Amino acid sequence: MDAAHIADDLIDVLFTEEDIHRRLSELAADVERDYEGKDLLIVGVLRGAVMVMADLARSFSRHVEMDWMAVSSYGSGTKSSGVVRILKDLDTDITGRHVLIVEDIIDTGLTLSWLVRNLSSRGPASVEICTLLRKPDALQMSVDVKYVGYDIPNAFVVGYGLDYAERYRNLRCIGTLAPAVYS
Ligand code: XMP
Ligand code: MG
């Protein structure tokens, strides 16, 4: 039987579950303040943002609607392909709605800049972005991100929804994956 623990493949832990929950409740408070008196639809980007959506949404004391999109910009590796495809579209008509896109991580920013353009063309009242993590490369793209949990170094990270080849999503913390795992 394989006794290895999934956390054994990390070279460090960047954020514990407690760190993440604390930061998400701070972001939720900012969102609540900014959207006071307005309806709000949060859109999670599958699959990485599942955990962020679950914990962010439960940090709100207000009503919030949730919907999901699935897009692909990565294969099963660690490099962006630059090609974005919709795998699952929204079920909600966002005309006149305030939309907040919820992401796990912005790396090159390619996925989100494409997604913002796509959703903006549907006539929403507003489209903003909330991401738990942002890498330095994202700063080179013109993506206006309203809510950022943490800026992190340019290494491949996993856990809390983030995967490498569909593994590690169920790790409670976020850590840096040992390069030996993917090289
Ligand atoms: P871009 O480059 O378009 O990519 O901003 C965003 C998507 O790429 C994935 N991604 C990662 N996934 N660890 C991961 O598990 C990482 O360090 C990482 N960097 C980018 C992720 O799916 C994100 O939505
Ligand atoms: Mg993602």
Side-chain angles (χ1 to χ4, degrees):
M1 197 177 120
D2 181 14
H5 189 272
I6 52 175
D8 292 347
D9 294 338
L10 301 182
I11 54 173
D12 62 17
V13 172
L14 289 178
F15 308 107
T16 64
E17 189 177 23
E18 292 71 33
D19 294 332
I20 298 166
H21 287 169
R22 193 179 344 102
R23 188 70 188 110
L24 286 179
S25 57
E26 290 170 0
L27 291 180
D30 292 345
V31 172
E32 282 198 320
R33 190 196 55 233
D34 294 347
Y35 289 86
E36 204 183 330
K38 297 172 178 166
D39 86 307
L40 178 61
L41 174 71
I42 57 175
V43 171
V45 184
L46 293 168
R47 287 170 272 205
V50 166
M51 312 299 179
V52 187
M53 278 286 273
D55 286 328
L56 182 75
R58 287 181 293 180
S59 297
F60 290 132
S61 49
R62 57 163 290 161
H63 290 294
V64 65
E65 254 182 72
M66 299 164 79
D67 200 350
W68 301 89
M69 272 186 89
V71 296
S72 83
S73 63
Y74 273 56
S76 56
T78 61
K79 291 254 159 60
S80 181
S81 70
V83 180
V84 182
R85 275 190 310 140
I86 294 183
L87 305 176
K88 184 227 169 284
D89 207 341
L90 294 175
D91 295 322
T92 314
D93 177 1
I94 60 169
T95 311
R97 305 289 307 270
H98 291 283
V99 177
L100 180 63
I101 303 171
V102 176
E103 256 288 28
D104 48 355
I105 189 165
I106 304 182
D107 190 343
T108 63
L110 278 169
T111 311
L112 272 180
S113 60
W114 183 90
L115 199 54
V116 166
R117 270 200 312 280
N118 183 286
L119 295 186
S120 298
S121 71
R122 307 182 192 192
S126 66
V127 179
E128 299 289 353
I129 299 168
C130 174
T131 185
L132 180 61
L133 306 175
R134 180 172 62 182
K135 287 186 179 180
D137 281 353
L139 302 172
Q140 294 161 25
M141 281 287 293
S142 57
V143 208
D144 196 5
V145 187
K146 193 159 185 188
Y147 309 96
V148 179
Y150 302 102
D151 282 306
I152 60 166
N154 210 353
F156 201 79
V157 297
V158 294
Y160 197 74
L162 290 149
D163 73 304
Y164 170 67
E166 295 308 323
R167 303 179 81 177
Y168 307 100
R169 289 194 198 275
N170 57 322
L171 200 58
R172 289 180 183 272
C173 65
I174 293 172
T176 309
L177 189 62
V181 176
Y182 56 85
S183 57

